[in-house]
Each structure stands twice: as C-alpha cells, then as structure tokens.
Amino acid sequence: MNDFIIAPSILSADFARLGEEVDNVLKAGADIIHFDVMDNHYVPNLTIGPMVCKALRKHGVTAEIDVHLMVKPVDRMIGDFIEAGASIITFHPEASEHIDRSLQMIKDGGCKAGLVFNPATPLHYLKHVLDKVDMVLLMSVNPGFGGQSFIPGTLDKLREARALIDASGYDIRLEVDGGVSEKNIAEIARAGADTFVAGSAIFGKEDYKDVIDTMRKELASVR
Ligand SMILES: O=C(CO)[C@@H](O)[C@H](O)COP(=O)(O)O
Ligand SMILES: [Fe+2]
C-alpha cells in the first residue's frame, strides 16, 4: 500500500452505475474505496448499507473498502458490514454507548477499526483505546453531505492528532474527510494526514486519473 492513501468517497459517484464507477476510480489509481453510511438519524441524510458493500464484492472489487459509519446505534451495523466484506470500519464515538466494545467487535471480525471525530469533537476519546485503533479519521466538514468546504481549523487538529499518534508508538493511520481536493491536499498532508478521502473533487471531474495524478504530484512535494 502507498505511503499516502487516496480514498475516493462513492457518495459523489453515480449510484446508477456504482460498480463501473468503482472500477473506473480504482483503474485511475485510487488505493481504497471510502463508503459513507448515513441513517437519517445520526446525520440528516440517508445513503447505502451492507447490501451495497456485498454487491461491490460480488461485482469483483478486491480493493479495501473503508466503511464510514454515520449511524446510531453503531453496534447493530458492525456485524452486517463484516459479513458484507468491509475492510476498515470507522464510527463516531458519540454514536456508540460503549466505544471499547464497538472497536473490539470490529477487530474480532477481522477488520481494521477506527474512530471518527467531528470538527467539534475532542480527541480525548482516543486516549484509552489507542491499542484498538488502526485509523483516526478527522472530519473536516460536519458529516452528512458531500461537496462542503474544508474547515481550516482541521489543520491544527491534524497536527494534534499526528503528535498523539506518533507519541503512542502504534501503527495508526490518520485520515481526513471533507472538502479535500488537489488544491489543498499538500497542505493537509503537511499537517500530518496520510489518508485522504475525496468525493466531489474526484467524481465531479470527467477524468478521474487526471485528478488522482495531480493529487499524487502534490503529495510528492510533501515527502
Ligand atoms: O463522510 C462524508 C460526509 O459526511 C464524506 O466522506 C463526503 O462524502 C466527502 O465528500 P467531499 O467533501 O469530498 O465532496
Ligand atoms: Fe466519509
């Protein structure tokens, strides 16, 4: 896997041609697929569930599927996504009654586990579960919709999260989600992110390879 991971969010893909869209974006150089699950309860939008994840696997997708759960309660969905072929499952700490248990359920199912932090959610939820976390995802927009603008304060939070992860000694990826594009990806990487979710910036363009190549060129200037 690349040092920097580009994870297109299929929220901005054409759902009527989802299998083809995923194939195309992977062929264009994406590393993994970001899969946004919204329940119209934890967030004010409704998207896709485990059946769609399973369908992508059946279609032949072998890349990692990074499932971002924006649902409450969380635990009921974890088993279904493990069974559906998820590779990484992340959830928001406010949406789980028992964060340690939810993380353990994901790990027991053989998936990588992660916590997602909304722009105003403090990082302290991490402190006692660092050993169970493979991914820290910082939201750089309020969750619920694609196509929003990157909240600049996320850069400081990324620096804080990077320091915390490095000090922990654990192998934890730092992902950022919301308003990421070829224009700001280098600055975001310099703040400490290594995994980049981008929905509208990729699927909003005709040529996915061109955007992903530009993102990689920008990232190459960072390291
Ligand atoms: O989780 C979410 C939104 O809640 C994201 O994954 C969005 O889908 C990102 O879309 P862009 O901001 O990149 O358009
Ligand atoms: Fe997401």
Side-chain angles (χ1 to χ4, degrees), residues 34 36 68 70 139 177 197:
H34 185 79
D36 288 305
H68 173 191
M70 288 162 273
M139 292 306 297
D177 184 4
V197 176

Side-chain angles (χ1 to χ4, degrees), residues 9 11-12 34 36 38 68 70 139 143-148 177-180 197-200:
S9 160
L11 188 62
S12 292
H34 185 79
D36 288 305
M38 304 182 186
H68 173 191
M70 288 162 273
M139 292 306 297
F145 303 95
Q148 303 180 76
D177 184 4
V180 177
V197 176
S200 49

Side-chain angles (χ1 to χ4, degrees), residues 28-203:
D31 298 297
I32 65 176
I33 295 299
H34 185 79
F35 190 107
D36 288 305
V37 184
M38 304 182 186
D39 66 350
N40 191 36
H41 171 66
Y42 179 65
V43 290
N45 200 356
L46 188 63
T47 59
I48 45 179
M51 281 174 9
V52 177
C53 183
K54 200 175 204 162
L56 289 177
R57 289 297 187 215
K58 189 158 175 242
H59 175 74
V61 175
T62 54
E64 286 201 325
I65 299 181
D66 171 29
V67 174
H68 173 191
L69 291 180
M70 288 162 273
V71 303
K72 188 175 181 173
V74 166
D75 291 359
R76 211 187 294 153
M77 280 290 108
I78 289 174
D80 289 351
F81 270 102
I82 291 167
E83 204 260 322
S87 316
I88 306 163
I89 301 177
T90 63
F91 65 90
H92 292 246
E94 305 93 329
S96 170
E97 297 293 337
H98 306 283
I99 296 164
D100 181 89
R101 177 186 291 150
S102 303
L103 288 168
Q104 193 61 53
M105 282 172 74
I106 298 170
K107 306 285 283 178
D108 288 347
C111 293
K112 293 179 199 161
L115 284 183
V116 192
F117 295 85
N118 287 333
T121 304
L123 294 174
H124 64 63
Y125 284 104
L126 267 179
K127 187 174 173 195
H128 300 288
V129 290
L130 278 162
D131 59 325
K132 292 198 167 94
V133 165
D134 302 290
M135 176 89 94
V136 170
L137 169 50
L138 299 197
M139 292 306 297
S140 36
V141 297
N142 287 295
F145 303 95
Q148 303 180 76
S149 300
F150 184 87
I151 296 174
T154 311
L155 294 173
D156 272 346
K157 201 171 176 186
L158 279 167
R159 285 186 267 272
E160 191 186 335
R162 169 51 60 204
L164 222 148
I165 289 170
D166 288 351
S168 79
Y170 290 110
D171 185 14
I172 299 173
R173 294 207 70 96
L174 180 52
E175 185 175 39
V176 64
D177 184 4
V180 177
S181 74
E182 66 278 25
K183 294 190 182 72
N184 58 13
I185 197 166
E187 190 183 14
I188 294 168
R190 275 194 292 271
D194 55 31
T195 303
F196 308 87
V197 176
S200 49
I202 295 176
F203 287 105

